Amino acid sequence: MATYLTQEGYNKKMEELSALEAQRPAIKQAIAEARDKGDLSENAEYDAAKEAQGMLEMKISKLKELIASARIIDDSKLNTEEVQILNKVTIRNNKGMTMSYTIVTESEANLREFKIASNTPIAQALLGHKVGDHVKVNAPAGVIDFEIIKIEV
């Protein structure tokens, strides 16, 4: 199954992979030092270092798998006629409060950067709609009505 990423998201995943791979020598050193301390059957340091190595290798493996299946989304083909992934959408709720979110893939979502995953209730309600449309979002607090004010790339 392909994972869709922006170029920025792909670059971040590559940086993350490099950082994880850079941890390998330190873990190998910790294993070697623990091994030098004697009996491995009762050596908690050795067990902890081996477990850390296993966790690191699992993270590296999963990240490599994600990168290998990644498809970069070409943002030059985006339009602002209707809401789609990678659009920045400005919406207004029924209390007059406006907010802007960029709809991204699940692996790139970051609420602090106002990036919401395309599978969230708000994004699902917005996708395919146009400026001026009113959409209803089923939120934990109940149904919320939003008006789409602006769609940007």
Side-chain angles (χ1 to χ4, degrees):
M1 184 171 144
T3 301
Y4 293 94
L5 296 172
T6 61
Q7 187 64 51
E8 177 188 359
Y10 180 82
N11 294 344
K12 283 182 181 178
K13 295 297 180 191
M14 291 300 288
E15 288 171 15
E16 186 180 343
L17 178 61
S18 292
L20 289 173
E21 287 177 333
Q23 294 176 25
R24 282 176 165 160
I27 288 183
K28 285 181 182 176
Q29 179 66 33
I31 290 170
E33 287 175 9
R35 191 180 301 124
D36 291 343
K37 292 184 179 175
D39 185 10
L40 297 181
S41 65
E42 296 179 15
N43 189 331
E45 282 182 54
Y46 178 79
D47 291 341
K50 287 297 281 182
E51 185 173 329
Q53 181 185 40
M55 294 297 284
L56 178 67
E57 292 304 324
M58 183 182 71
K59 286 180 187 175
I60 289 171
S61 175
K62 284 187 179 213
L63 202 48
K64 281 184 174 182
E65 192 176 302
L66 184 140
I67 290 168
S69 69
R71 301 288 176 262
I72 308 296
I73 299 170
D74 184 357
D75 56 7
S76 69
K77 292 191 166 93
L78 297 177
N79 70 58
T80 56
E81 291 296 311
E82 61 182 36
V83 179
Q84 57 186 335
I85 196 161
L86 292 187
N87 282 146
K88 180 178 180 182
V89 184
T90 302
I91 54 177
R92 180 174 38 231
N93 67 13
N94 51 6
K95 294 178 183 166
M97 189 172 114
T98 62
M99 54 215 97
S100 295
Y101 296 107
T102 301
I103 300 174
V104 296
T105 62
E106 189 175 349
S107 62
E108 295 180 70
N110 183 337
L111 206 49
R112 277 183 248 125
E113 296 175 4
F114 300 99
K115 294 179 178 181
I116 60 171
S118 59
N119 61 351
T120 61
I122 291 176
Q124 286 291 300
L126 295 172
L127 288 169
H129 288 276
K130 300 176 186 222
V131 171
D133 286 356
H134 285 265
V135 297
K136 295 191 183 307
V137 178
N138 289 320
V143 176
I144 303 170
D145 184 49
F146 290 106
E147 179 185 2
I148 300 173
I149 305 299
K150 186 178 358 174
I151 304 171
E152 304 172 82
V153 175

